[in-house]
Amino acid sequence: MSENTDRYESAAARYFEAWNATEPEALRKAVAAAWTPDGGYTDPLADVRGHEGVAAVITAAHEQFPGFVFRPLGVVDGHHDTARFGWELVNEADGSAPVAGFDVVTLDAEGRIRQVLGFLDRVPAGA
């Protein structure tokens, strides 16, 4: 495995750790570990910058989908300072995954996220 592949996979692992953090302090630490201080997150439903904005989007997702976890879908791929990966939102009780998407992230020199561009591939009606 190349150094760059490790870099992309490590960034994605930190990303999922943040998205799966539900306690405020754990979420704060996970977002700080994954994103640069001015890092952003943009998808069809949100466009935020900074740790507080990213944490607010994550908190809102957990409020809308309690008992769900974000899991990687497929492999992490990347080149230069850009990585891409798929994900799904899985109900821990029954294993269903009503939401799925694909994210493209840009990284800084230390492998922290500068920007996420998220795409929603599967969303339940009314969500």
Side-chain angles (χ1 to χ4, degrees):
M1 190 176 302
S2 76
E3 182 178 324
N4 280 336
T5 300
D6 288 344
R7 179 176 180 235
Y8 307 135
E9 289 179 355
S10 294
R14 287 190 306 273
Y15 176 86
F16 285 107
E17 183 177 341
W19 274 96
N20 286 320
T22 56
E23 298 300 320
E25 184 62 17
L27 175 58
R28 185 191 67 74
K29 287 180 180 179
V31 167
W35 270 266
T36 61
D38 63 343
Y41 178 86
T42 303
D43 73 13
L45 306 173
D47 186 14
V48 299
R49 295 208 74 69
H51 292 171
E52 287 184 17
V54 171
V57 169
I58 293 170
T59 298
H62 284 286
E63 288 171 354
Q64 185 174 4
F65 295 96
F68 284 72
V69 294
F70 287 86
R71 293 203 181 130
L73 190 59
V75 299
V76 178
D77 184 27
H79 61 81
H80 297 83
D81 290 332
T82 305
R84 65 180 181 162
F85 50 85
W87 55 266
E88 59 186 354
L89 186 59
V90 179
N91 182 325
E92 289 186 295
D94 66 14
S96 64
V99 182
F102 189 88
D103 291 345
V104 176
V105 301
T106 55
L107 305 174
D108 71 0
E110 288 78 43
R112 289 172 60 198
I113 297 169
R114 289 186 297 160
Q115 181 65 43
V116 175
L117 298 176
F119 296 85
L120 301 173
D121 298 327
R122 182 174 63 236
V123 179

